[in-house]
Amino acid sequence: MRIALATVGTTGDVRPFTNLSRRLVERGHEVTAISWPVHRTALSQSGVRVEVAGPHADPGRIAAVAADAAERGPMEQVAILRDFHLADGEAHYRRLRELLPGNDLVLLHGIHALAQAAAMDGGIPWATAVFDPVLLPTAAAPPPGMPSLGPANRLLWGILDRMLQRTARPLDDLLQRAGSAQRGLALFQARSPLLHLVACSPTVIRVPPDLPSSTHVTGAWLDRSTPSPLPDELETFLTEGAAPIVVTFGSMSGASEDALAVAIRAVLDGGRRVVLQGGAGERSPNLLPVGAIDHRALFPRAALVVHHGGAGTTHAAVAAGVPSVVVPHVGDQRYWADRLRQLGAAPDPVPVRGLDGRQLADAVLAAAADPRLRESARTLAQAIEREDGIESAVTRLERAASA
């Protein structure tokens, strides 16, 4: 099978596709991975053809957009993220139209409306994948931020669809200028009627009981290969004393740096050691700033992880069996923060908007001292270890392509 994987967004929107493509190649399929230029290296691996399409967004720009969106209300966030994703959109769409023909199936990220339009215009079978369940319409729960109306929750989903549609006019205009026949595509809500994969652990999420037959919760697309070794300096730091607090905000780095600095100082004053990923600072006996690190090697050696609540980081913390303190910024991150709290693996989230460093430090110190959080995290890790979300996804894709 010739399959194209098309994704955009942050590292968390790309790494799962990298893990999936490895298994597809092992099964003998021809794989082309397509994303923004910034993600070329992350997608590159043996047997995978990598193509780039879209704007030249560097990590600093991605972090700046996330920081801006974090200070806005929900619909303003949608508009900011929409404009970012549609930058250089006409050229992006036309490049996708060049790359997608010749594939038996296109698997695209559910936020990638341009790839959806390109696949539909090219008459190419397409499937979708998402890494959170937040926008899965269900009578069992209301949309995020809305009160439950019980059996009438479906009405609320209709209201949300109309609200999002009002923000989608720039997408329609862009596609018209680019020569696409598609109009009225749902912004950030692509769901294929052929196959829609929800790459989340059923141990962590609530699986709606009324999903369409084309929608499948596969389990998270976790990398089960041997983790990359830790840098010598970090390895030495970890063996010098007690398990540290790991602070990592991934692509959200840059938001509320002043408050974060206050929090880290207070945590150090509270007698804890800290590994700070992606932040600035000098090494001290109890503080080590680090760059890119394989979370699979680092998280199991942490006492607790402070993170933004991205889907990938959340699943990595759960798989490592360590508790979290979540500082949600945008999008689905509040959902993951709430789920970890409900599952007993994290305290109440500390929202980034108006973040108070002392408040965050108090939450971190209390959580790190709570054995109930660690026990819940270990129980979740044992359950997620039995899942193989990638195998489930590959099997579904093979069936869809041969149908």
Side-chain angles (χ1 to χ4, degrees), residues 103-120:
N103 287 286
D104 300 304
L105 182 71
V106 177
L107 176 65
L108 57 97
H109 195 317
I111 65 175
H112 200 353
L114 295 178
Q116 179 188 3
M120 295 174 70

Side-chain angles (χ1 to χ4, degrees), residues 228-247:
S228 302
L230 297 173
D232 291 343
E233 185 180 30
L234 176 55
E235 184 64 47
T236 299
F237 182 85
L238 292 172
T239 59
E240 284 178 344
I245 307 298
V246 172
V247 180

Side-chain angles (χ1 to χ4, degrees), residues 201-205 222 224 314-315 317-324 336 339-346 372-387:
S201 169
T203 297
V204 180
I205 73 169
L222 299 175
R224 301 291 191 183
T314 296
H315 279 94
V318 170
V322 294
S324 299
W336 295 112
R339 285 303 296 153
L340 289 180
R341 175 185 59 79
Q342 292 159 5
L343 292 165
R372 297 169 299 177
L373 295 179
R374 179 162 288 274
E375 184 57 35
S376 295
R378 287 173 176 165
T379 299
L380 291 173
Q382 292 170 357
I384 204 172
E385 178 65 26
R386 296 188 289 269
E387 301 171 9

Side-chain angles (χ1 to χ4, degrees), residues 19-347:
N19 300 337
L20 177 69
S21 64
R22 186 180 304 118
R23 186 74 61 86
L24 287 168
V25 169
E26 290 172 356
R27 294 277 274 265
H29 302 297
E30 298 179 30
V31 179
T32 300
I34 308 167
S35 191
W36 295 339
V38 68
H39 297 309
R40 181 195 290 274
T41 300
L43 289 168
S44 297
Q45 57 186 313
S46 178
V48 177
R49 172 189 169 198
V50 178
E51 299 284 357
V52 296
H56 292 269
D58 59 38
R61 173 61 177 154
I62 293 173
V65 170
D68 185 16
E71 296 298 320
R72 310 301 182 97
M75 298 313 294
E76 288 180 295
Q77 285 186 10
V78 170
I80 290 170
L81 297 175
R82 173 204 64 202
D83 293 344
F84 180 55
H85 279 263
L86 296 185
D88 199 23
E90 293 175 52
H92 191 173
Y93 164 83
R94 293 187 179 111
R95 177 63 173 155
L96 289 166
R97 288 285 280 127
E98 294 172 358
L99 293 172
L100 297 185
N103 287 286
D104 300 304
L105 182 71
V106 177
L107 176 65
L108 57 97
H109 195 317
I111 65 175
H112 200 353
L114 295 178
Q116 179 188 3
M120 295 174 70
D121 287 332
I124 305 165
W126 57 285
T128 45
V130 294
F131 306 111
D132 68 76
V134 172
L135 293 180
L136 288 179
T138 172
M146 293 188 179
S148 179
L149 297 183
N153 280 331
R154 289 280 183 181
L155 296 176
L156 296 179
W157 285 101
I159 292 172
L160 176 63
D161 285 344
R162 288 192 290 275
M163 291 171 64
L164 290 174
Q165 195 59 46
R166 286 201 295 270
T167 70
R169 179 62 183 271
L171 173 61
D172 277 352
D173 293 344
L174 183 156
L175 291 174
Q176 183 177 24
R177 293 193 304 270
S180 170
Q182 306 308 316
R183 301 290 184 274
L185 297 185
L187 193 65
F188 302 139
Q189 287 181 279
R191 288 191 290 268
S192 169
L194 173 66
L195 178 65
H196 184 59
L197 302 176
V198 183
C200 304
S201 169
T203 297
V204 180
I205 73 169
R206 285 198 185 103
V207 180
D210 53 351
L211 294 177
S213 60
S214 58
T215 298
H216 302 278
V217 176
T218 63
W221 297 353
L222 299 175
D223 186 352
R224 301 291 191 183
S225 64
T226 302
S228 302
L230 297 173
D232 291 343
E233 185 180 30
L234 176 55
E235 184 64 47
T236 299
F237 182 85
L238 292 172
T239 59
E240 284 178 344
I245 307 298
V246 172
V247 180
T248 176
F249 288 151
S251 299
M252 305 294 112
S253 61
S256 301
E257 290 181 352
D258 292 342
L260 183 59
V262 169
I264 290 174
R265 174 48 52 193
V267 169
L268 293 170
D269 291 344
R272 290 288 181 170
R273 306 169 76 235
V274 175
V275 171
L276 173 61
Q277 184 178 20
E282 296 182 2
R283 175 177 176 167
S284 71
N286 290 319
L287 172 64
L288 180 65
V290 297
I293 298 292
D294 190 335
H295 288 170
R296 297 172 301 147
L298 176 58
F299 284 6
R301 300 176 67 176
L304 177 141
V305 180
V306 182
H307 59 91
H308 56 296
T313 308
T314 296
H315 279 94
V318 170
V322 294
S324 299
V325 168
V326 186
V327 184
H329 289 55
V330 296
D332 61 315
Q333 294 166 11
R334 181 65 195 226
Y335 171 84
W336 295 112
D338 287 341
R339 285 303 296 153
L340 289 180
R341 175 185 59 79
Q342 292 159 5
L343 292 165

